[in-house]
Amino acid sequence: MTYKIGVVGPGPSIERILGVAKEFRAEMEFIAYPYQNAQETKQIVAEHDPDVDGWLFTGQIPYLIARKALQTEEHLVYIPHTGSSLYKCFFHMAYYQKKFLERVSIDTVQSEDVEEALQELGIPTQEIYIKTYDDYIQPDELFRFHLQLWQEGKTEGAVTCFQATYLALQQEGIPAYWISPTKMVIRTTLKLILEKMKTSYFKDTQIGVEIIEVEHFDKIIEKAKTPYHLQYLELRLKEMLLKLGEKLDGSLLEKGNGRYVIFSSRGAIEREIPVLQDTVRQLSLEVDDPVAVGIGFGETVFAAETNARRAVQHAKEKEGRGIIIVQDDGQIVESVGQKEELAYAYRSEDKELHERLKQANISIKTYKKIEALVRRKGWDSFTTADLASYLSMTHRNARRIVASLCENQLVECIGEESHASRGRPSKVYRLT
């Protein structure tokens, strides 16, 4: 199988990459998408994402822009500016200037990377001015950064990761050097994206099982005016699910009593989550009752079906139901396809953690769910009200869980949060 890889970056950088990429043409086909400005990346990936299997970026800035635009990093790889890239640049500087410049401005490279490279070369880090990167930075802004330092007599030369900045500085007569990756780094990155593509392919072809269960189906049977009304209802439900099965290129099995199973592949199921969400809404409206959905992935039918059963049981226990996935590695994904999607493990190898949770009488699933929420929200601290709100539990239950975790040193109280209105201040916690 040949994977199509889109290469995004300035023209000269792409040409350099494609020169090395000839070694991989048996397994990967490379399509060039050059730009004049890094901000063009957003439009490039949005327009051409369906045409490629993965993306390779010439640097970190277009990668960051693409990651934000596509809301994923799964099929994205960039060529990093490693120590070898900096060494090459410093040696070029020394060769053309006949000495190592001590007063230099450098952009879009982390200060610790520069310091480490200079230390390894035995060069004293005297007057090095560094402008770190972000995905909004413009070549013009970088040009002004280098130019101002040069005009103020603070630097003897400039080092940049941007071709446009490099050319503009040279036109001003400033000794400028362009950090470009070595062939070895390019080759290593190409091997990495090939491995990513292969892993993604095998993951995509995993077996996927969807279990869709209409709750309280016994009551629906009781409410049916005649057997014909019930049979007409079941036909309507089956028609909706057959359309879903056709979309997934899967097979539908009717288990009876409002329970249906669809067998397909992981890739097809993940791609058609919006269709599943729409089908579940239609089913729920048709029966005027909640519909629980569990999806399981696995290497075998047995493993995928076991995970799907676990997922649907979890969905039935969750307020508001929704779609739950149990992956082949044991991870649980809640609120699938929604903003509040949350992934966490329901098992752990940490014996000490198990022992503490046992003493706290809290399940590993509950703890991992809280941990995943705190990580996803980027919270340095939280209140029991935060947990109750985002995890759909009562305030009383949230307080009980946090109190137990505090007693067993898994959570600590770090202060209080006062309210504008009257009432006792809320305690603020963090995970230890």
Side-chain angles (χ1 to χ4, degrees):
M1 180 177 180
T2 303
Y3 303 101
K4 288 186 178 181
I5 308 298
V7 188
V8 180
S13 296
I14 290 178
E15 286 175 20
R16 183 174 175 78
I17 290 168
L18 294 181
V20 180
K22 290 175 184 176
E23 302 169 23
F24 298 83
R25 59 190 168 193
E27 295 178 288
M28 291 189 286
E29 177 190 343
F30 296 89
I31 305 168
Y33 294 102
Y35 62 60
Q36 295 296 322
N37 187 305
Q39 295 301 323
E40 295 171 36
T41 302
K42 186 176 180 180
Q43 184 180 346
I44 290 170
V45 296
E47 187 176 337
H48 298 285
D49 193 50
D51 306 327
V52 299
D53 300 306
W55 290 102
L56 175 63
F57 302 93
T58 59
Q60 189 166 25
I61 288 178
Y63 165 82
L64 291 172
I65 294 169
R67 188 177 69 177
K68 186 174 286 186
L70 297 175
Q71 294 292 302
T72 182
E73 57 184 32
E74 193 171 348
H75 299 117
L76 316 182
V77 173
Y78 69 93
I79 296 178
H81 296 304
T82 61
S84 59
S85 304
L86 287 167
Y87 299 154
K88 186 179 77 168
C89 196
F90 291 143
F91 280 126
H92 278 170
M93 187 187 296
Y95 178 79
Y96 290 110
Q97 299 299 316
K98 309 302 180 188
K99 67 169 185 174
F100 277 112
L101 302 183
E102 295 181 351
R103 296 182 295 121
V104 180
S105 55
I106 303 177
D107 68 48
T108 61
V109 178
Q110 295 285 28
S111 56
E112 54 266 29
D113 294 337
V114 176
E115 288 168 11
E116 188 178 86
L118 292 174
Q119 284 170 7
E120 288 191 2
L121 290 171
I123 303 170
T125 54
Q126 292 187 13
E127 293 182 58
I128 306 291
Y129 301 88
I130 299 172
K131 189 170 184 66
T132 53
Y133 56 75
D134 62 58
D135 53 347
Y136 295 108
I137 209 159
Q138 296 287 338
D140 287 347
E141 184 185 339
L142 296 176
F143 170 71
R144 290 193 297 273
F145 161 73
H146 293 291
L147 181 64
Q148 185 176 346
L149 289 168
W150 168 263
Q151 289 175 339
E152 292 172 357
K154 293 180 179 179
T155 57
E156 303 170 276
V159 176
T160 179
C161 295
F162 277 78
Q163 185 206 19
T165 305
Y166 162 74
L167 294 173
L169 290 169
Q170 280 199 324
Q171 285 180 352
E172 290 291 326
I174 300 171
Y177 300 88
W178 183 16
I179 299 176
S180 58
T182 62
K183 287 186 177 181
M184 183 176 70
V185 171
I186 294 172
R187 193 173 290 112
T188 301
T189 308
L190 291 172
K191 287 178 183 176
L192 173 65
I193 196 167
L194 179 58
E195 287 305 311
K196 263 198 162 192
M197 290 298 102
K198 287 179 177 178
T199 302
S200 178
Y201 173 76
F202 288 119
K203 184 178 171 184
D204 205 55
T205 54
Q206 272 188 339
I207 294 163
V209 176
E210 290 183 350
I211 296 177
I212 300 163
E213 191 169 317
V214 177
E215 292 197 56
H216 315 306
F217 200 74
D218 290 337
K219 292 180 181 178
I220 293 171
I221 294 171
E222 289 172 13
K223 288 178 185 176
K225 295 175 183 178
T226 67
Y228 294 110
H229 281 90
L230 181 61
Q231 287 177 345
Y232 282 130
L233 173 65
E234 288 180 317
L235 282 171
R236 290 195 297 274
L237 299 183
K238 197 166 182 179
E239 183 184 9
M240 294 176 199
L241 291 166
L242 279 169
K243 287 178 180 176
L244 173 63
E246 185 180 14
K247 198 78 177 173
L248 296 174
D249 198 20
S251 58
L252 172 68
L253 290 180
E254 189 175 354
K255 294 288 188 176
N257 210 33
R259 191 179 177 97
Y260 303 85
V261 181
I262 296 177
F263 293 88
S264 185
S265 68
R266 178 173 185 159
I269 288 173
E270 288 183 333
R271 282 190 293 273
E272 301 298 342
I273 289 295
V275 178
L276 173 60
Q277 288 174 313
D278 188 49
T279 303
V280 170
R281 278 193 292 269
Q282 289 179 46
L283 290 169
S284 188
L285 286 170
E286 187 68 51
V287 298
D288 194 24
D289 241 332
V291 174
V293 180
I295 300 173
F297 298 134
E299 297 295 332
T300 64
V301 174
F302 177 77
E305 197 167 1
T306 300
N307 286 337
R309 282 198 297 269
R310 187 179 290 127
V312 79
Q313 187 58 42
H314 186 65
K316 286 159 71 174
E317 293 168 3
K318 189 174 183 291
E319 189 182 338
R321 304 304 180 261
I323 302 168
I324 305 290
I325 293 176
V326 174
Q327 298 180 348
D328 57 316
D329 60 359
Q331 271 222 327
I332 295 175
V333 184
E334 289 189 4
S335 304
V336 176
Q338 298 175 27
K339 268 187 179 179
E340 57 272 21
E341 184 174 293
L342 191 66
Y344 59 92
Y346 69 89
R347 56 189 180 216
S348 172
E349 302 288 323
D350 191 331
K351 290 182 180 178
E352 185 184 347
L353 176 62
H354 271 287
E355 189 57 38
R356 290 193 184 189
L357 288 172
K358 188 178 177 182
Q359 290 172 4
N361 197 26
I362 302 294
S363 69
I364 186 72
K365 187 176 81 174
T366 300
Y367 176 77
K368 288 290 184 181
K369 195 172 176 179
I370 292 170
E371 190 180 53
L373 175 66
V374 170
R375 186 173 61 250
R376 184 171 69 82
K377 289 291 183 181
W379 290 339
D380 294 322
S381 61
F382 58 89
T383 66
T384 54
D386 293 329
L387 296 186
S389 173
Y390 285 97
L391 298 180
S392 301
M393 61 174 66
T394 64
H395 287 267
R396 184 178 178 181
N397 194 29
R399 286 194 295 270
R400 180 191 64 79
I401 290 169
V402 170
S404 295
L405 292 174
C406 280
E407 285 175 18
N408 291 276
Q409 291 82 51
L410 291 169
V411 167
E412 63 179 347
C413 180
I414 57 171
E416 291 186 338
E417 178 182 80
S418 60
H419 302 289
S421 59
R422 292 181 181 179
R424 292 167 59 186
S426 300
K427 289 184 178 180
V428 178
Y429 303 90
R430 71 177 172 204
L431 293 173
T432 58

